């Protein structure tokens, strides 16, 4: 199966570099390029790519608004935010807009390729140092409702549907742990953790691990 990728970045040299890295892989294909968010959103609607690599700061429509447009109309398309700044103030907004990943542009080629494949599998990717800095920067500013604006009572009702073990898994996700790390911490198999993660997402009505992390902080289950 070939994974189709759309590149959205206002720097043509960066798009060229991303294309060279991705198309060196047999299972990846770049199906289009856009230099701004508006064009990127339009091309995504037309091409319906599996994954979109999205810059944040671009002229006209920025990457945050473009991400919101794409994820709202194309639920099967995953957006990977790429930025030069490890303290980009738009990073958290991008994830809340529906992006499934956030990486820095200095990410190694092999890591970028694996990130695209990971998003296509339905998982999420966030650079560890970005996660830490984002939580430091935005953690104390999070509102008291979940990403969908649900009241605190409704959030508590959702959390009550989780088993004690599922709450543990959710808290571990919020700490940025991988499935393998959670499995080692809880002394169970990685397959068991994958099952728990799936149940957590299903019960909370969340799209992926990124939304699970956001939910955990916004619901007050964990604090920065």
């Amino acid at each position: 199966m070939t994974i189709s990728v759309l590149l959205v970045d206002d720097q043509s040299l960066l798009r060229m570099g991303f294309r060279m890295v991705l198309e060196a892989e047999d299972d990846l294909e770049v199906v289009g390029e856009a230099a701004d968010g508006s064009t990127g959103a339009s091309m995504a609607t037309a091409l319906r790519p599996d994954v979109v690599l999205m810059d944040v700061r671009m002229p006209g429509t920025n990457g945050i608004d473009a991400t919101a447009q794409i994820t709202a109309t194309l639920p099967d398309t995953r957006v990977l935010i790429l930025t030069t700044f490890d303290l980009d103030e738009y990073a958290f907004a991008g994830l809340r807009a529906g992006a499934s990943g956030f990486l820095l542009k200095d990410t190694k080629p092999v890591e970028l390729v694996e990130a695209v494949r990971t998003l296509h599998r339905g998982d999420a990717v966030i650079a560890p140092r970005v996660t830490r800095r984002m939580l430091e920067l935005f953690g104390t500013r999070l509102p008291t409702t979940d990403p969908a604006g649900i009241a605190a009572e409704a959030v508590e009702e959702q959390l009550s549907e989780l088993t004690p073990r599922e709450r543990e898994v959710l808290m571990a996700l919020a700490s940025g742990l991988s499935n393998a790390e959670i499995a080692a911490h809880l002394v169970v198999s990685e397959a068991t953790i994958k099952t728990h993660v799936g149940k957590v997402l299903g019960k909370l009505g969340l799209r992926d691990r990124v939304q699970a992390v956001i939910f955990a902080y916004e619901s007050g289950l964990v604090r920065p």
Side-chain angles (χ1 to χ4, degrees), residues 182-196:
I182 298 173
H185 177 67
L186 298 180
V187 196
V188 296
S189 70
E190 188 171 348
T192 297
I193 295 302
K194 288 182 179 179
T195 299
H196 285 315

Side-chain angles (χ1 to χ4, degrees), residues 101-180:
F102 184 97
L103 291 177
L104 301 179
K105 289 183 179 178
D106 63 359
T107 296
K108 296 178 181 178
V110 65
E111 294 174 347
L112 176 61
V113 167
E114 184 55 34
V116 171
R117 291 171 177 152
T118 298
L119 263 65
H120 183 248
R121 290 195 298 267
D123 211 332
V125 176
I126 307 180
R129 59 178 169 147
V130 174
T131 302
R132 290 192 298 270
R133 299 294 292 275
M134 284 174 58
L135 292 177
E136 291 172 4
L137 179 62
F138 298 104
T140 59
R141 306 179 190 178
L142 295 178
T144 56
T145 58
D146 74 2
I150 301 174
E153 295 79 5
V155 171
E156 192 56 42
E157 183 178 346
Q158 285 181 291
L159 288 174
S160 68
E161 297 181 7
L162 302 181
T163 66
R165 177 46 59 92
E166 288 166 356
R167 280 200 178 216
E168 284 185 287
V169 171
L170 177 56
M171 294 179 70
L173 289 176
S175 299
L177 299 182
S178 65
N179 284 351

